[in-house]
């Protein structure tokens, strides 16, 4: 949520996705912000009583997009075609881009290019009213959960790239506490609803265990 970030972080990589004020989803977002403010993240990610799971996942997915959007926006000057010629998360993990429509066969590309493709693709999904309905009473499609899982899986890769390739820059900017809190929030949410396969989390597994152990 935006209150996690300093003024320096107000630059976003892509335009922020806003949830319409006065809508039920906006109320849900405010509930999430209030519980997040309590600093008990395990509790903050739980489905509020009487709420629809798809709607809760939708609201949080939009919020996570905005968070990673801001975080990546702070380090774009360090993530270049030269410094990050491939989209990687350390030496063992490399990501190739495909979206199934415009680019059907995975292509190898630089990290800034990959993240641009990824964030544009996510934005398109979030803006699609048939996938992410913002009006009350409009049902979520049957494939909503699988789309949300793909979005979160791909957003995770941006965190993985930042941690592995740009953490020094994050520390220079004094944004590491914001990055850790944001990432922890995403991970707890993913774990609460089993949204990403454990194998996909492998590039940051040690960090996930370390962040989780602090709450035990």
């Amino acid at each position: 949520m935006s209150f996690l970030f300093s003024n320096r972080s107000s630059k976003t990589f892509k335009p922020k996705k806003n949830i319409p004020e006065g809508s039920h989803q906006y109320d849900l977002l405010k509930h999430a912000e209030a519980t997040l403010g309590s600093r008990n993240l395990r509790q903050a990610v739980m489905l509020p009583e009487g709420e629809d799971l798809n709607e809760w996942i939708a609201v949080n997915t939009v919020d996570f997009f905005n968070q990673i959007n801001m975080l990546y926006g702070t380090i774009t000057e360090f993530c270049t075609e030269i410094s990050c010629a491939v989209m990687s998360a350390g030496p063992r993990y490399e990501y190739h881009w495909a979206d199934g429509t415009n680019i059907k066969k995975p292509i190898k590309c630089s990290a800034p290019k990959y993240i641009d493709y990824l964030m544009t693709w996510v934005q398109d999904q979030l803006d699609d009213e048939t996938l992410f309905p913002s009006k009350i009473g409009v049902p979520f499609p049957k494939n909503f959960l699988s789309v949300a899982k793909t979005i979160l899986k791909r957003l995770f890769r941006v965190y993985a790239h930042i941690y592995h390739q740009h953490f020094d820059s994050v520390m220079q900017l004094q944004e590491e506490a914001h990055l850790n809190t944001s990432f922890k929030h995403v991970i707890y949410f993913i774990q609460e609803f089993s949204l990403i396969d454990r194998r996909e989390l492998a590039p940051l597994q040690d960090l996930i265990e370390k962040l989780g152990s602090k709450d035990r």
Side-chain angles (χ1 to χ4, degrees), residues 24-25 28 52-59 128-135 137-145 148:
H24 182 60
Q25 290 187 8
L28 271 182
D52 177 66
L53 177 61
N54 284 346
E55 197 154 34
W56 184 237
I57 290 173
V59 165
D128 185 342
E129 279 286 328
T130 64
L131 278 177
F132 280 78
S134 58
K135 294 179 178 66
V138 178
F140 284 85
K142 287 190 171 68
N143 66 332
F144 170 75
L145 202 54

Side-chain angles (χ1 to χ4, degrees), residues 33-142:
E33 285 182 355
T35 52
L36 190 61
S38 72
R39 289 288 176 252
N40 184 340
L41 286 173
R42 287 279 182 211
Q43 200 175 348
V45 299
M46 291 177 181
L47 179 67
E49 198 176 337
E51 294 297 346
D52 177 66
L53 177 61
N54 284 346
E55 197 154 34
W56 184 237
I57 290 173
V59 165
N60 280 276
T61 300
V62 170
D63 187 47
F64 296 147
F65 168 78
N66 287 334
Q67 284 189 43
I68 194 66
N69 199 0
M70 278 193 278
L71 281 164
Y72 185 66
T74 65
I75 57 102
T76 46
E77 64 191 286
F78 309 108
C79 186
T80 68
E81 301 278 336
I82 296 164
S83 67
C84 302
V86 293
M87 174 61 178
S88 62
R92 292 174 53 203
Y93 301 96
E94 188 176 301
Y95 301 114
H96 296 178
W97 177 255
D99 59 16
T101 49
N102 297 324
I103 300 172
K104 293 183 178 173
K105 193 175 176 185
I107 57 166
K108 186 173 181 172
C109 56
S110 68
K113 191 74 183 160
Y114 183 100
I115 293 169
D116 189 27
Y117 280 136
L118 186 158
M119 298 299 267
T120 302
W121 177 83
V122 172
Q123 220 171 8
D124 289 345
Q125 310 311 302
L126 300 181
D127 288 341
D128 185 342
E129 279 286 328
T130 64
L131 278 177
F132 280 78
S134 58
K135 294 179 178 66
I136 291 175
V138 178
F140 284 85
K142 287 190 171 68

Side-chain angles (χ1 to χ4, degrees), residues 36 39-47 56 60 64 152 156 180-196 201 207-216:
L36 190 61
R39 289 288 176 252
N40 184 340
L41 286 173
R42 287 279 182 211
Q43 200 175 348
V45 299
M46 291 177 181
L47 179 67
W56 184 237
N60 280 276
F64 296 147
L152 293 168
F156 170 84
N180 288 340
T181 304
S182 172
F183 179 65
K184 198 172 175 181
H185 184 199
V186 170
I187 288 302
Y188 282 11
F189 192 84
I190 284 163
Q191 290 173 337
E192 176 72 13
F193 302 107
S194 305
L195 296 169
I196 297 185
L201 302 176
L207 176 65
I208 291 168
E209 285 170 14
K210 186 178 169 187
L211 290 173
S213 67
K214 288 181 179 176
D215 285 347
R216 288 190 193 116

